Amino acid sequence: GTSDGSETAMALSTVGRRGFERLDRNVRQSRAAHKAVSKEQRQEIKEAFDIFDSERTGKMDYHELKVAIRAMGFEIKKPEALELMARYDREETGYIAFDAFEEIMVQRYAAMDPMEEIRKAFELFDEDKRGKISFRNLKRIARDLGEKLTDEELRGMIDEFDLDQDGDINESEFINIMKQTSLY
């Protein structure tokens, strides 16, 4: 067209922000559908349980619960662990079974703080583990999510938020996007 570049840039900027919002919403909806816990996380929960259930009894005691939760990267203090035992060990056997442990961990994952969620989302986008989201990463994710975005729109998404102009989106740029789209 004959319109000046700034108009196009504005349009791309809007497309860029909307594109990230849509992609992010998609990622998060598919997560929410799994009770906010991914297959990988469920697998991690199962593996953690198995590690601490070394005798394969299908249950764990208070100490094992506390250590397992910490091993999964969550904080837990003694009173909270005791409270969880009391809540899930209704027969007062001193043990809880796997389903109780899974429920506890699912709630932990679901309650993760927004910054943690943003970092997790960033890791999803950053498939090559380079600490950056490249055009290729973005294109693949858009495709996987069934988003019909043109190369130009995808480039626009990157250009809009690529503050250091290196052609990729780094973690702090990604955090800015997520804060601007105010999904968190």
Side-chain angles (χ1 to χ4, degrees):
T2 52
S3 74
D4 65 343
S6 71
E7 212 171 287
T8 311
M10 278 294 293
L12 278 177
S13 141
T14 308
V15 166
R17 188 164 299 135
R18 270 207 302 266
F20 272 110
E21 278 176 16
R22 284 215 310 268
L23 290 179
D24 187 61
R25 215 173 12 252
N26 261 317
V27 167
R28 281 155 21 104
Q29 274 166 356
S30 66
R31 276 227 177 113
H34 304 297
K35 268 177 104 180
V37 178
S38 68
K39 260 207 318 275
E40 290 81 8
Q41 287 169 332
R42 283 196 188 277
Q43 187 59 36
E44 281 170 30
I45 292 170
K46 179 77 181 103
E47 284 166 12
F49 185 83
D50 290 345
I51 288 166
F52 292 99
D53 175 25
S54 49
E55 289 99 53
R56 296 281 174 267
T57 56
K59 52 192 188 185
M60 61 171 43
D61 67 17
Y62 154 77
H63 291 287
E64 292 165 332
L65 172 66
K66 207 171 56 178
V67 178
I69 290 176
R70 287 190 182 138
M72 306 273 304
F74 293 96
E75 291 291 309
I76 184 158
K77 304 246 183 321
K78 191 175 172 178
E80 191 185 356
L82 289 168
E83 192 269 315
L84 287 170
M85 286 304 290
R87 188 182 330 155
Y88 289 99
D89 175 21
R90 293 190 185 85
E91 279 80 58
E92 298 183 9
T93 61
Y95 294 94
I96 59 165
F98 172 69
D99 56 350
F101 178 68
E102 187 179 41
E103 196 175 313
I104 291 166
M105 293 315 302
V106 165
Q107 286 166 3
R108 300 251 155 189
Y109 277 119
M112 283 199 300
D113 72 295
M115 278 312 287
E116 190 55 38
E117 285 295 305
I118 292 176
R119 285 200 186 87
K120 285 225 162 13
F122 179 78
E123 285 167 21
L124 274 175
F125 282 87
D126 172 26
E127 296 176 294
D128 316 320
K129 304 287 170 259
R130 295 183 313 133
K132 294 170 181 283
I133 300 168
S134 67
F135 172 75
R136 222 185 62 234
N137 298 146
L138 204 54
K139 188 172 176 138
R140 198 201 60 75
I141 284 165
R143 199 186 55 232
D144 286 358
L145 294 170
E147 288 291 341
K148 306 258 184 288
L149 292 164
T150 65
D151 282 9
E152 194 183 357
E153 287 171 324
L154 291 167
R155 289 244 181 266
M157 286 167 67
I158 289 179
D159 293 345
E160 162 69 6
F161 297 104
D162 179 18
L163 302 178
D164 62 8
Q165 305 282 295
D166 67 350
D168 292 325
I169 300 289
N170 63 34
E171 190 169 359
S172 73
E173 289 163 347
F174 186 75
I175 289 168
N176 283 339
I177 296 165
M178 292 307 158
K179 286 191 169 154
Q180 281 185 36
T181 57
S182 74
L183 291 167
Y184 289 91

